Amino acid sequence: MSEPPAIRVSDAEREQASLVLREACAEGRLTLEELSERLDETYAARSQTELERVTRELPAPALPGRRRRVTVSIFGSVERRGRFRPGRRSYVFTCFGNVDLDLRAAQLSEPEVTVVAFALFGNVDVYVPEGTQVDVTSAVVFGHARDNGHDPPARPGAARIHVVLLGLFGTLDLWRLPRGAVGSFRQLIELARRRHRGELDA
């Protein structure tokens, strides 16, 4: 006996699934990168079975702990990466130092977060996964603030990040990275630059 045909999903069901994923990210159950990947699966799903897979094996909730709201580097270097919980509004400050803030595995407790970065004779690099909705505002005196990397259209339901880059004799860069990118921060920056120049496939 042949199996019954797969039940096709509707646009409304895809939107509902994207809402579930976004809530999971807000609860800290999915990182930004995982959210972006599963949203791609959601909008590519054609059957109920395919759509059900997007909520598979969600990571365990984030461990209780304080949210990371402030990152400071003075005459030094600070790296923040991996699973951590940024606050709804987070601040980064460097004076004669360097800060690398990698948000790709961050567990957001809010659907929208704001990162305010200020560099005084220093450098700040912020890393986000491609496809994340990122708004960039910048103001720099004697330095630069740049939005780098390949930026495909964001999926509906994706988390939104507001990045404010402020500098005085400082440099600030936002780097958009493809899912699964690994390596040192220097290697990730070079990857984003090459994709931005069109040397690598999107």
Side-chain angles (χ1 to χ4, degrees):
M1 180 180 295
S2 61
E3 295 182 359
I7 300 176
R8 305 277 289 188
V9 298
S10 66
D11 289 339
E13 289 171 317
R14 292 189 187 92
E15 291 298 328
Q16 180 60 37
S18 72
L19 179 61
V20 171
L21 293 174
R22 181 169 178 170
E23 288 298 322
C25 184
E27 293 169 359
R29 296 178 183 273
L30 289 176
T31 66
L32 279 175
E33 201 166 44
E34 290 166 337
L35 174 62
S36 178
E37 180 178 0
R38 295 197 185 198
L39 284 173
D40 284 344
E41 294 179 28
T42 298
Y43 289 98
R46 294 290 178 266
S47 69
Q48 290 285 354
T49 301
E50 292 174 344
L51 192 61
E52 289 171 1
R53 291 177 188 151
V54 303
T55 56
R56 68 193 179 280
E57 301 174 351
L58 287 175
L63 294 175
R66 297 183 60 185
R67 298 176 184 174
R68 302 289 186 174
R69 291 189 172 89
V70 179
T71 302
V72 178
S73 173
I74 300 176
F75 290 98
S77 180
V78 174
E79 296 181 358
R80 192 170 302 286
R81 68 192 312 175
R83 290 179 180 267
F84 68 97
R85 298 175 61 202
R88 183 173 184 178
R89 183 178 293 271
S90 298
Y91 299 90
V92 177
F93 174 76
T94 181
C95 179
F96 292 98
N98 180 77
V99 174
D100 289 285
L101 182 67
D102 190 348
L103 297 174
R104 293 177 299 153
Q107 297 175 310
L108 304 187
S109 56
E110 303 285 345
E112 294 192 21
V113 299
T114 299
V115 176
V116 180
F118 180 74
L120 175 63
F121 292 96
N123 178 71
V124 176
D125 291 289
V126 180
Y127 308 83
V128 299
E130 291 178 348
T132 303
Q133 298 184 62
V134 183
D135 301 324
V136 181
T137 303
S138 60
V140 175
V141 178
F142 295 109
H144 77 245
R146 297 173 181 162
D147 185 349
N148 307 273
H150 182 67
D151 187 26
R155 291 293 193 185
R160 180 181 293 275
I161 301 177
H162 305 282
V163 178
V164 181
L165 305 176
L166 306 172
L168 177 61
F169 292 97
T171 63
L172 304 101
D173 287 275
L174 174 75
W175 303 97
R176 302 170 187 268
L177 299 170
R179 286 197 302 269
V182 296
S184 66
F185 285 122
R186 179 176 296 181
Q187 291 170 327
L188 294 174
I189 287 173
E190 180 58 27
L191 172 63
R193 283 175 174 164
R194 293 178 66 188
R195 286 169 68 82
H196 188 66
R197 294 193 299 261
E199 296 178 12
L200 299 175
D201 294 334

